[in-house]
Amino acid sequence: MDIQLSEKQQSAQDEFRDFVDRKIMPFANDHDKQETMPATLIQEVADKGYLGGLVPEQYGGNGMDSVTWGLLCEEIGRGSASLMSLFTVHSMVIQAILKWGDESSRERWLPRLATGEIIGGFALTEPNVGSDATAIETNATLDEGQWCVNGQKCWISFGQVASLFLVFAQTEGKSIALLVERECDGFSSEPISGMLGFRSAMLANIKFDHCKIPESNLLGRPGFGFSHVGGTALDQGRYSIAWGCLGLAQGGLNASLAYAGKRKQFGVYLNEHQLIQALLTDMITQAQATRMLCYRAAALKEQADPSVIMETAMAKYFASQAAVKISTDAIQIHGANGCSDKYPVQRYLRDSKIMEIIEGSNQMQQIMIAKHGYQSHVMNERRQAERAKRETK
Ligand SMILES: Cc1cc2nc3c(=O)[nH]c(=O)nc-3n(C[C@H](O)[C@H](O)[C@H](O)COP(=O)(O)OP(=O)(O)OC[C@H]3O[C@@H](n4cnc5c(N)ncnc54)[C@H](O)[C@@H]3O)c2cc1C
């Protein structure tokens, strides 16, 4: 696996870093406190072409490779996990349309998603339905060329501002995925405040009251909603989140290295105390291990290797835990300063905890990874038994 960045990737990384250092880092704590994401900042990332990173050039996007997209999510995650969540949900809608939309849907939506003229939202979770997405209660019925959608979704990141939602519903017992525009009659949203983390992710609960949607807004076909369209979107979401967690982890580490190198206690800098060195060592190693898993997922994605789905789940699972651990230790190293809003590490901890819950909670990842591990084990045993049988003949 090659983890050497190409010249183009390196220069993209430099550009992302510079942008985040100037435009995001200095303001992220204030946005967090005010529980808002300024429209001007969203416009700025759209104007840079970042929101269209994954849209192919033929539809007006940037056509980034998997590593470059990962580097972008890492840097944005280092600056603001809330803003990173916009990249996550927006790219989930893009990937779902790319893979499951027909050509006319791609031509209709992708150029506008690429420029940020429309913002995508992902609407799966409901008041009674979280991890068990097969039990969705939102209902859609097809009548004279239109879907009529009724139901409610909750905890929708950027639900206050998104203009196109990828909505999961059920029709006659089959799961479907529909593109629902904010503008449609019967749509309403209610902002959410006071969350532990992702405080500037403009969360909302949204409602559909007899919303009429053109039949052509269906992605995939009935029965494919959660399993296929949702599967594509969630895989994309986990990939972005794994890299975003790497950014959170790196941010906590950078802040700790800087702090431990300038604060003295007992006459020496903190980084000269061996117990602090032990914390820093674990943080550096965890961040590096996270990076390796992210790069591995990127390499498999570029090769369209089917194992990428499981490797991405592992990257998200590991990265979110590493981000929590590193942010916790970062606060320890900062002492009381780490608990104050003058430093970013308290925000990193609150945001990284969210990462263990979203895009399939870590328990859901454990179930998926363990099941897959067992299936691979059974297949390997079967292959070995067949080989042994052939050799004894
Ligand atoms: C900040 C934030 C942003 C979000 N953004 C979005 C968004 O944009 N779009 C969207 O659709 N949703 C969004 N969500 C919702 C998120 O996807 C759900 O919270 C998540 O899927 C878990 O569902 P739940 O909260 O209902 O927990 P539940 O499913 O009720 O689970 C509660 C706990 O039980 C565990 N659990 C559940 N089933 C099992 C099992 N079989 N075995 C073992 N443990 C189990 C879970 O892991 C969890 O720890 C967001 C949530 C947050 C906090």
Side-chain angles (χ1 to χ4, degrees):
M1 187 179 68
D2 187 6
I3 57 161
Q4 193 69 38
L5 297 183
S6 68
E7 244 175 66
K8 200 170 160 208
Q9 290 164 340
Q10 184 67 65
S11 95
Q13 185 183 45
D14 293 344
E15 181 198 309
F16 303 152
R17 270 194 189 151
D18 175 64
F19 180 81
V20 168
D21 286 341
R22 283 185 302 108
K23 303 281 185 170
I24 301 179
M25 279 297 267
F27 313 107
N29 270 6
D30 285 343
H31 298 160
D32 186 74
K33 258 191 273 179
Q34 292 153 8
E35 301 196 32
T36 191
M37 185 59 66
T40 46
L41 182 54
I42 298 179
Q43 190 57 51
E44 220 164 333
V45 291
D47 292 345
K48 295 289 277 178
Y50 296 164
L51 285 181
L54 287 183
V55 176
E57 285 172 3
Q58 73 181 101
Y59 300 109
N62 238 318
M64 287 179 189
D65 61 65
S66 304
V67 171
T68 307
W69 175 257
L71 296 171
L72 176 61
C73 291
E74 177 186 352
E75 293 308 323
I76 301 285
R78 180 173 64 83
S80 160
S82 288
L83 185 59
M84 215 291 293
S85 74
L86 170 62
F87 283 73
T88 307
V89 291
H90 192 73
S91 69
M92 289 164 85
V93 177
I94 288 170
Q95 280 306 97
I97 294 173
L98 259 178
K99 179 130 192 216
W100 296 103
D102 56 17
E103 193 47 36
S104 74
S105 306
R106 290 191 208 116
E107 280 170 6
R108 180 167 176 210
W109 303 113
L110 293 178
R112 292 196 282 153
L113 284 159
T115 58
E117 180 195 333
I118 51 179
I119 297 292
F122 179 80
L124 176 66
T125 311
E126 299 180 353
N128 295 323
V129 180
S131 303
D132 183 9
T134 55
I136 273 170
E137 293 172 357
T138 295
N139 182 269
T141 47
L142 187 58
D143 187 28
E144 293 181 358
Q146 285 194 318
W147 291 101
C148 177
V149 187
N150 280 294
Q152 44 184 319
K153 301 285 177 181
C154 52
W155 314 119
I156 306 306
S157 301
F158 288 87
Q160 293 177 38
V161 295
S163 36
L164 182 70
F165 294 88
L166 177 60
V167 176
F168 293 85
Q170 59 90 15
T171 187
E172 294 172 356
K174 289 183 176 161
S175 165
I176 56 170
L178 289 169
L179 292 169
V180 178
E181 287 181 88
R182 184 179 206 96
E183 306 239 299
C184 71
D185 285 344
F187 177 95
S188 58
S189 74
E190 188 191 302
I192 302 173
S193 61
M195 297 296 284
L196 168 77
F198 278 37
R199 293 172 74 95
S200 42
M202 310 291 283
L203 257 70
N205 294 323
I206 61 178
K207 252 191 200 159
F208 313 104
D209 182 6
H210 294 88
C211 288
K212 296 274 174 42
I213 311 299
E215 188 174 358
S216 57
N217 282 22
L218 176 77
L219 292 184
R221 54 183 154 95
F224 273 36
F226 179 63
S227 57
H228 292 63
V229 185
T232 298
L234 286 166
D235 175 51
Q236 170 59 35
R238 288 194 278 268
Y239 184 76
S240 304
I241 282 188
W243 282 91
C245 287
L246 174 60
L248 274 172
Q250 191 63 52
L253 175 58
N254 292 349
S256 303
L257 289 168
Y259 191 83
K262 64 175 199 276
R263 181 169 174 88
K264 279 185 175 173
Q265 287 297 291
F266 299 96
V268 295
Y269 290 110
L270 287 178
N271 65 11
E272 291 172 47
H273 292 292
Q274 290 185 344
L275 292 175
I276 297 293
Q277 288 171 350
L279 285 178
L280 289 170
T281 301
D282 285 352
M283 292 163 85
I284 292 166
T285 310
Q286 289 244 324
Q288 197 64 337
T290 303
R291 181 166 284 107
M292 295 300 115
L293 285 171
C294 288
Y295 273 94
R296 179 165 166 76
L300 293 169
K301 234 182 208 313
E302 285 298 296
Q303 294 159 19
D305 187 310
S307 68
V308 68
I309 293 176
M310 213 40 67
E311 301 271 347
T312 300
M314 287 183 228
K316 186 267 175 182
Y317 175 62
F318 186 88
S320 54
Q321 292 178 93
V324 169
K325 172 80 172 71
I326 289 174
S327 331
T328 306
D329 290 348
I331 292 177
Q332 197 66 27
I333 289 173
H334 283 71
N337 279 329
C339 304
S340 95
D341 61 7
K342 302 275 180 296
Y343 289 79
V345 288
Q346 45 76 33
R347 175 168 51 85
Y348 288 156
L349 176 60
R350 291 186 285 103
D351 286 340
S352 56
K353 183 62 212 173
I354 302 287
M355 301 293 199
E356 293 191 318
I357 293 169
I358 57 172
E359 253 55 82
S361 69
N362 278 7
Q363 282 72 34
M364 293 301 108
Q365 308 308 316
Q366 285 174 317
I367 292 169
M368 187 162 92
I369 294 164
K371 261 192 196 157
H372 180 266
Y374 181 65
Q375 283 161 1
S376 303
H377 169 75
V378 169
M379 273 164 62
N380 279 342
E381 282 204 325
R382 206 172 285 157
R383 258 185 243 121
Q384 275 176 10
E386 280 164 9
R387 199 179 310 132
K389 219 168 159 186
R390 276 199 304 275
E391 283 167 6
T392 51
K393 271 187 187 164

